[in-house]
Amino acid sequence: MSLKPALIKDEALLAEIETFSHDEDNFHLWWLGQSGYLLLWKGQKILIDPYLSDSLTKKYAGTNKEHIRISERVVNPALLKDILIVTSSHNHTDHLDGETLIAVLQNNPGIQFIIPEANRQFVADRIKMAADFFTGLTDGQQVTIGAFTFHGLAAKHNEIERDENGHPKFMGYVIQFGGWSVYHSGDTLWFDDMVALLKPFNIDVALLPINGNDPARGIAGNLDGKEAVDLAKAIGARVVMPCHYDMFTFNTADPAWFAQEAGNAQQPYIVLEQGGHFSSEQLK
């Protein structure tokens, strides 16, 4: 099976990012596939939940849970430079990939890595770093690095699972900077109080999974396309973008259905291609 090509990738992607590095008015997002994004604001770059390898395809080859890739890799992680912050929302490999993250850390001295506090030792073991290297967050907590403030929220995947100290193992982050708010949910289902927690942030862009919750897959599930639209509408998101699809054949969704539901709900949305670019100028 031929892979679905990225809209733009590798050196061409990096060149495009560089053209916006001096934009003082708008922030920019590129979808890197699955739940991964690169966020750019006034020359500062954040890498959100990147999965930029074939580690899962190799791990599950020949098993009853083959991770057959749909789309080509957007960028070689070894090419990513000048990254201020990288995040992981939870310990699943498509959100905490050693092959991706070790390469990123090696090429970005001074980078800061935001993780759920509950996962500190697990992340340290996978990434091969000292446990005190990471910036841990729990729900209701925030941290400011440079121009960016990260607010931690619990995520339900498939439950809101907590460690012995009450810290959630699955999280989402609201990222605030320059008057903007971007919500990256991580992997999650809808849960009580979710809307009440998110509405006060006046979310500009909601990055939400749409692959759904099918027990036959044998893995924890997520919002589906309609649920993602309904959540975005309920929290007043100015625009919603779908993610967590078109990576593996057994765990994907049709973004056209999401788009149809968003149109029906009159919820503004944007469907990016992998490697695709969004500018906050599109919100004006």
Side-chain angles (χ1 to χ4, degrees):
M1 181 181 74
S2 60
L3 295 177
K4 185 175 180 178
L7 180 66
I8 189 171
K9 65 178 185 176
D10 291 329
E11 289 84 356
L13 172 67
L14 299 181
E16 180 177 91
I17 293 168
E18 185 59 30
T19 64
F20 296 102
S21 64
H22 301 294
D23 187 344
E24 293 292 314
D25 299 316
N26 300 291
F27 75 89
H28 301 267
L29 278 169
W30 286 264
W31 186 35
L32 304 181
Q34 199 67 337
S35 294
Y37 290 86
L38 189 147
L39 187 155
L40 175 70
W41 167 245
K42 292 188 175 182
Q44 295 186 315
K45 302 170 192 170
I46 294 176
L47 201 54
I48 305 170
D49 278 29
Y51 174 76
L52 299 169
S53 80
D54 284 318
S55 62
L56 284 168
T57 300
K58 291 181 284 188
K59 177 180 178 180
Y60 288 102
T63 73
N64 62 357
K65 199 186 290 184
E66 285 196 302
H67 284 51
I68 300 169
R69 196 178 184 106
I70 295 172
S71 300
E72 66 178 349
R73 184 177 67 177
V74 172
V75 64
N76 179 347
L79 296 176
L80 294 170
K81 305 288 180 66
D82 302 317
I83 306 296
L84 177 68
I85 303 164
V86 64
T87 74
S88 167
S89 62
H90 63 282
N91 289 343
H92 292 161
T93 302
D94 55 333
H95 300 259
L96 180 72
D97 179 41
E99 288 191 25
T100 297
L101 292 164
I102 290 170
V104 169
L105 295 177
Q106 286 175 342
N107 288 321
N108 289 276
I111 193 172
Q112 299 203 48
F113 195 161
I114 295 176
I115 63 169
E117 177 59 37
N119 302 342
R120 182 178 293 273
Q121 191 58 54
F122 185 98
V123 177
D125 293 342
R126 177 166 290 183
I127 307 304
K128 300 176 172 50
M129 298 288 287
D132 62 0
F133 169 74
F134 306 95
T135 299
L137 278 183
T138 189
D139 51 339
Q141 191 177 33
Q142 67 185 57
V143 64
T144 298
I145 299 171
F148 302 94
T149 297
F150 284 73
H151 300 264
L153 293 92
K156 184 178 179 181
H157 189 49
N158 275 2
E159 301 297 333
I160 297 179
E161 188 177 344
R162 296 181 182 272
D163 69 5
E164 64 276 11
N165 297 310
H167 304 318
K169 297 181 179 181
F170 303 94
M171 291 186 67
Y173 304 113
V174 173
I175 310 169
Q176 293 188 309
F177 53 96
W180 303 104
S181 291
V182 173
Y183 172 50
H184 185 277
S185 70
D187 281 357
T188 194
L189 300 170
W190 199 310
F191 59 88
D192 293 343
D193 299 328
M194 194 176 197
V195 172
L197 288 168
L198 285 165
K199 282 192 78 170
F201 288 107
N202 298 314
I203 301 298
D204 293 296
V205 178
L207 307 171
L208 302 179
I210 63 165
N211 59 303
N213 184 26
D214 181 358
R217 295 172 179 163
I219 58 172
N222 278 321
L223 302 168
D224 64 22
K226 184 178 187 309
E227 291 166 333
V229 168
D230 290 345
L231 177 61
K233 187 81 171 179
I235 66 175
R238 294 178 68 188
V239 71
V240 58
M241 296 184 202
C243 61
H244 212 296
Y245 68 94
D246 271 5
M247 181 60 72
F248 303 116
T249 55
F250 85 106
N251 187 18
T252 189
D254 184 357
W257 179 53
F258 159 85
Q260 179 179 331
E261 293 294 334
N264 292 342
Q266 297 185 314
Q267 166 61 47
Y269 72 94
I270 291 175
V271 177
L272 291 178
E273 295 184 57
Q274 296 196 40
H277 167 236
F278 165 83
S279 168
S280 58
E281 191 171 17
Q282 295 169 249
L283 295 172
K284 296 176 182 177

